[in-house]
Amino acid sequence: MKDGFIKVAAATPEIHVADCAFNADNILTLCQEANEQGVQVIGFPELCLTGYTCSDLFLHEVLLEGAKQQLLRIAKETKNMDMLILIGIPVRVRGALYNCAAVLHKGDILGMVPKRNIPNYTEFYELRHFTEATAETAEYLTWGDQEFALSPMQVFQCTEMPEFTVGAEICEDLWVSNPPSSALAAAGATILYNLSASDEIIGKAAYRRDLVRMQSGRGQCGYVYCDAGQGESSTDLVFAAHNIIAENGSILAQSKRFATGLTISEIDVKRMDYERRRQNTFHTEDVFDYAEIPFDMQLRETELTRPVAQTPFVPSNKDDLAERCEEILTLQATGLATRVRHAHAKTAVVGLSGGLDSALALVVTVHAFDMLGRDRKDIIAVTMPCFGTTSRTKNNALTLAAAYGTTCKTIEIGASVTQHFIDIGHDMEDHSVTFENGQARERTQVLMDLANKTGGMVIGTGDLSELALGWATYNGDHMSMYGVNGSIPKTLVRYLTAYEAERAGGETGRVLRDVLATPVSPELLPPKDGEISQKTEELVGPYELHDFYLYYLLRFGMEPKKIYRLAKHAFAGVYDDATIKKWLTTFVRRFFIQQFKRSCLPDGPKVGTVTLSPRGDWRMPSDAVSALWMQQCEQL
C-alpha cells in the first residue's frame, strides 16, 4: 500500500433467499478470509444480504429490518478489520426503497450509495420495488449509534493516501450509456466497485468482461465487479458469480464462473493518479458536488499477486504475438514508404552489420519497397568490415542482403579509419572510446555519402533500448535520415525478427535465426580467436531488465524503488536482488546523462506507447540532474 498497490477482492458468498442471518454469516466468513490475506477493500454482490431474487418480499418490513440488523452485526464483528467493506442491501427511507451499496470500515457505516439506473425490461422488473436515485437524492439516516448519508454523490477517501479513493455503482449502472462510475472517477475515485446480480445467458460473460475492461480504461481506474451466484433463486434465472478485477483497460483477475469465494488482485492507485495527470483530457470539472468521506487505514506493504510480465513491451498472450508483429512491421514500413515517396528517394541505404537491429531495419525497408511496388535492387545494403568484424556477422550480412534481392556492397573501412587515427594522433593500440567511435562515425559518413551519390536516404537502425541507455555513437550510428527502429525496444526487436524468420522461411529464415543467436555487439573491438569479444549485455546489462525499467519509468512515471520492487517480483528466480539493483542504477544514471543524444533524433515512426522522440512523447532537458532518482537507487 505504501507504493500505491491496494489489495482488492470481489466476493461471492453462498446465500439463501431472504435468510439474512445465514447470508451475514457467509459474508463474515469471507471477510475474515480476505482480512487474513491482507485485502484492503472487499465488495459483495448486489442485495446479497437478502438475495437479489426476493421479488415482492422486498416490500415486507420483516425482511428489510432483518437486513438492517444483520448489517449492524457485520459492522460490529468487523470492527477490528482494517478493511473497507461494500455490501449490497435494500434500504427504506420513508416511502421509498433504495437498492444500496453499504460502505463499512472498522465498525462504522461510512455511507450508503443507492443505485441510479433501475432496469425494468425483459427479465428485470426492479421498478416494481425500488426507487431510482438521482444526483439530488440525499438522506441522512441513524441506525442505532450509526449516522451516515444515503447519496450517490459520495466517494470514500483514505486520509493517509488520498490517491486511494473508492466509488461505488450497482449492476445496471455500468450497462447504461453514461455510467455513474465515469463521474465518480472524475470526482477522484481510483477504485470503482460494482455490486451486481447479473444473470447469465449465452455470450453475456464475454460482453460483461469487455464492459468492465473498457470502463476501467475509460475511467483510468481500477474496476472491481462483484457478481451474485449460488443461492439466488433459479425460478427463471441463473447467476454465474462472474467476478472481475480490471485496471486501466487490462483484466488482472477473474473468477471461475458458477463458484463462490474470493477473487483477489492488487490495483495500483498511484499509477492511476499518474495516468490522469499525464492525460490532460481527463476532466474533473462539474464533479465538485461529490462528498469525500474520509477513512483512516494503516499504510502497510501489500503482497503482490497480480501478474507482472518480464517483457512488458511484448504481448503476454502468445496467440496475439504474430498479429502484433505484423501490425508493427506494417506501421514501420508504412512510415518509411511515406517518407521515401515524399522525398522522391531513388534508393534506401542500410548499413548491414549482421546484427539484430540492422537486420530488422533491412526487413522493414524491404516491406516498405514492396508496398511502393519498387524494385528491391534500389535498396543498397552496405556492410563495412573493420577491426572488430567477425566472419560470422559479415557472412550473415552478405547472405541476408542477397536473400532479399537487394543490392549489396562491401566497403572495407579499416584503411580510412587508420588514416584518420594517424591524422588525429591516436595510437592504434589504444582501444578507448575514440577507437570505437572513430569506426562508427566513418560508417555513418560512408552511408551518408553513398546516399547522396545515389539520390537516396540513409535508414537508421538504432532501437529504443539503445536510445534510452545512450548506447550509440553521437553523430555515428545515432544519426540517419529516417530511423525505423527508434520506438522498438530490444526485447521486441527479437520477436519481430523471429516472426520475419518464420514468415520468410528458406535461406532468409535461416540467416535471420542465426542473427538472433548472435551475441548483441557493436563489434568495435578486435575479436578473440575469431569470436565476438565485445558483448553489449556484459557491459551495460541485460536488455530484458533495461526494457523493463524503461517501460515503468516512462509509461507510468514510477520511482526507482517501485520499479525495483516490481522487477524483483517479475524476475524472481532469474536475477537476484543485487543484480537487479546494479543494472537499475546503471539504467537511471545513463538515462539522465545521455538525454543530449535523444534531443536531436532523426524522424521515425511511433508504434507503441513508449517512445523517446523529442518531438513527441518525451521532452526532457539534457542537463536534468538525476540526484533524486539516484538517491533512491542507492537506498535500495
Side-chain angles (χ1 to χ4, degrees), residues 428 549 577 634:
M428 288 291 294
Y549 305 150
D577 293 357
E634 292 163 3

Short mmCIF file of all heavy atoms in Angstrom, two decimals, residues 428 549 577 634:
data_model
loop_
_atom_site.label_atom_id
_atom_site.label_comp_id
_atom_site.label_asym_id
_atom_site.label_seq_id
_atom_site.Cartn_x
_atom_site.Cartn_y
_atom_site.Cartn_z
N MET A 428 46.93 3.29 -32.37
CA MET A 428 46.08 2.16 -32.76
C MET A 428 45.94 1.11 -31.65
O MET A 428 45.00 0.31 -31.66
CB MET A 428 46.63 1.50 -34.02
CG MET A 428 46.45 2.32 -35.28
SD MET A 428 44.70 2.43 -35.77
CE MET A 428 44.36 0.72 -36.19
N TYR A 549 12.79 -1.65 -16.96
CA TYR A 549 12.95 -0.36 -16.28
C TYR A 549 12.41 0.79 -17.14
O TYR A 549 11.73 1.69 -16.65
CB TYR A 549 14.44 -0.09 -15.99
CG TYR A 549 15.15 -1.16 -15.20
CD1 TYR A 549 16.52 -1.39 -15.38
CD2 TYR A 549 14.50 -1.95 -14.26
CE1 TYR A 549 17.20 -2.36 -14.66
CE2 TYR A 549 15.17 -2.93 -13.54
CZ TYR A 549 16.52 -3.13 -13.75
OH TYR A 549 17.18 -4.09 -13.04
N ASP A 577 18.55 -9.94 -6.16
CA ASP A 577 18.26 -8.54 -5.85
C ASP A 577 19.43 -7.63 -6.18
O ASP A 577 19.25 -6.51 -6.67
CB ASP A 577 17.90 -8.41 -4.36
CG ASP A 577 16.59 -9.11 -4.02
OD1 ASP A 577 15.94 -9.64 -4.94
OD2 ASP A 577 16.23 -9.11 -2.82
N GLU A 634 20.45 4.16 -4.56
CA GLU A 634 21.48 3.88 -3.55
C GLU A 634 20.88 3.33 -2.27
O GLU A 634 21.55 2.60 -1.53
CB GLU A 634 22.27 5.16 -3.26
CG GLU A 634 23.14 5.61 -4.44
CD GLU A 634 23.59 7.06 -4.32
OE1 GLU A 634 23.28 7.69 -3.27
OE2 GLU A 634 24.24 7.56 -5.26
#
